[in-house]
């Protein structure tokens, strides 16, 4: 948009500003997102409303377009980075207001695997959807998963793998959870390029998630089912 520089966020009304923020998030414009969040806060918006109406809605479009092949990883990472900047402002405020948290997720890329773009995207979108997310990073072994489960008592364990050689490690983690007698306390979600539904079933996961958008939908649905 050639007239991008002419848009003064503070002069937009609330509805226009929210729409502009969704566009800015889509375009990965970090400073604009920070500015937009601060303007809405000054106008008396609740942190949770800013999160859900501007950031989450914007990120859902990003997730959908990524799934449909309209956006690619670099653009998604820029959008995720802009979302992160907005979340950095909102997170302490959300904690203060005790905004309803859907659940807690421990997520990591399994041992031997150093791919984290997809996993980070899932983590960001889960956070945007109202989950507390503990992101363990890459090359996560079973002990690291267990320590995080013990410390954070999550509702969901998410595991990612991008290599056919590392995806089998997910089974090791699930079998260990069974041995420890805690498998049934967790919803186990798995994802990554070489996986499919059959593999998820075979290793005893609760669900295989093809992409970030599906991961968020599945996580919400399964946590609500449990609560219900």
């Amino acid at each position: 948009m050639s007239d991008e520089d002419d848009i003064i966020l503070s002069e937009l009304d609330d509805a226009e500003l929210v729409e502009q923020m969704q566009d800015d998030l889509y375009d990965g414009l970090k400073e604009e997102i920070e500015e937009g969040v601060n303007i809405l806060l000054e106008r008396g918006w609740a942190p949770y409303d800013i999160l859900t109406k501007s950031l989450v809605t914007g990120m859902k479009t990003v997730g959908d377009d990524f799934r449909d092949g309209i956006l690619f990883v670099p653009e998604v990472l820029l959008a995720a980075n802009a979302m992160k900047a907005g979340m950095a402002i909102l997170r302490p405020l959300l904690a203060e207001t005790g905004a309803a948290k859907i659940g807690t997720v421990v997520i990591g890329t399994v041992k031997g695997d150093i791919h984290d773009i997809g996993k980070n995207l899932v983590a960001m979108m889960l956070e945007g959807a109202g989950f507390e997310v503990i992101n363990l990073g890459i090359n996560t072994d079973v002990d690291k998963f267990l320590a995080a489960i013990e410390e954070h008592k999550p509702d969901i364990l998410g595991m990612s793998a991008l290599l056919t050689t590392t995806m089998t490690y997910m089974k090791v983690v699930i079998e260990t959870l069974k041995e420890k007698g805690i498998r049934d306390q967790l919803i186990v979600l798995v994802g990554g390029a070489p996986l499919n539904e059959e593999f998820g079933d075979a290793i005893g996961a609760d669900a295989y998630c093809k992409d970030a958008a599906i991961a968020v939908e599945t996580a919400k649905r399964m946590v609500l089912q449990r609560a219900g």
Side-chain angles (χ1 to χ4, degrees):
M1 223 170 29
S2 57
D3 61 351
E4 188 71 324
D5 298 338
D6 304 331
I7 294 175
I8 297 168
L9 295 180
S10 58
E11 291 179 0
L12 301 176
D13 68 28
D14 286 11
E16 290 169 334
L17 178 56
V18 165
E19 202 171 310
Q20 185 60 43
M21 284 172 71
Q22 290 170 4
D23 289 347
D24 289 344
L25 186 65
Y26 192 90
D27 295 334
L29 304 175
K30 185 170 162 248
E31 279 88 12
E32 284 81 348
I33 289 299
E34 290 172 334
E35 189 187 341
V37 167
N38 283 320
I39 290 168
L40 287 176
L41 284 171
E42 281 163 22
R43 290 183 185 176
W45 274 55
Y48 184 74
D49 287 340
I50 299 174
L51 173 65
T52 51
K53 288 175 185 164
S54 61
L55 301 186
V56 174
T57 312
M59 207 62 197
K60 185 175 183 331
T61 309
V62 171
D64 291 347
D65 282 2
F66 178 55
R67 180 193 62 207
D68 297 339
I70 297 163
L71 284 182
F72 298 97
V73 167
E75 293 121 321
V76 171
L77 284 180
L78 279 173
N81 215 23
M83 166 105 185
K84 210 176 199 169
M87 282 297 291
I89 300 167
L90 293 174
R91 193 179 289 114
L93 303 171
L94 288 164
E96 273 171 35
T97 54
K101 188 179 75 182
I102 299 178
T104 304
V105 182
V106 163
I107 192 169
T109 302
V110 294
K111 185 181 174 183
D113 206 317
I114 56 164
H115 295 85
D116 66 350
I117 290 172
K119 179 223 4 120
N120 286 348
L121 180 59
V122 170
M124 300 259 345
M125 288 183 66
L126 282 168
E127 199 164 72
F131 285 91
E132 183 184 345
V133 179
I134 295 92
N135 189 342
L136 301 179
I138 54 173
N139 197 17
T140 311
D141 64 19
V142 68
D143 292 335
K144 203 168 169 189
F145 277 123
L146 285 173
I149 289 165
E150 193 167 319
E151 183 183 346
H152 300 285
K153 308 277 186 286
D155 305 281
I156 295 175
L157 173 65
M159 290 187 282
S160 166
L162 257 96
L163 304 171
T164 49
T165 49
T166 58
M167 61 194 246
T168 49
Y169 192 76
M170 293 176 169
K171 187 170 169 57
V172 174
V173 176
I174 291 174
E175 290 302 321
T176 309
L177 296 177
K178 286 181 186 167
E179 283 164 27
K180 302 267 180 201
I182 57 172
R183 169 64 189 92
D184 294 343
Q185 296 166 20
L186 295 157
I187 296 164
V188 178
L189 304 181
V190 296
L195 280 68
N196 56 32
E197 210 159 315
E198 289 73 25
F199 177 78
D201 291 342
I203 61 168
D206 288 299
Y208 151 74
C209 303
K210 187 165 68 77
D211 60 40
I214 288 172
V216 172
E217 285 162 24
T218 307
K220 278 167 122 171
R221 189 183 73 243
M222 291 194 149
V223 164
L224 291 171
Q225 275 170 354
R226 282 211 159 185

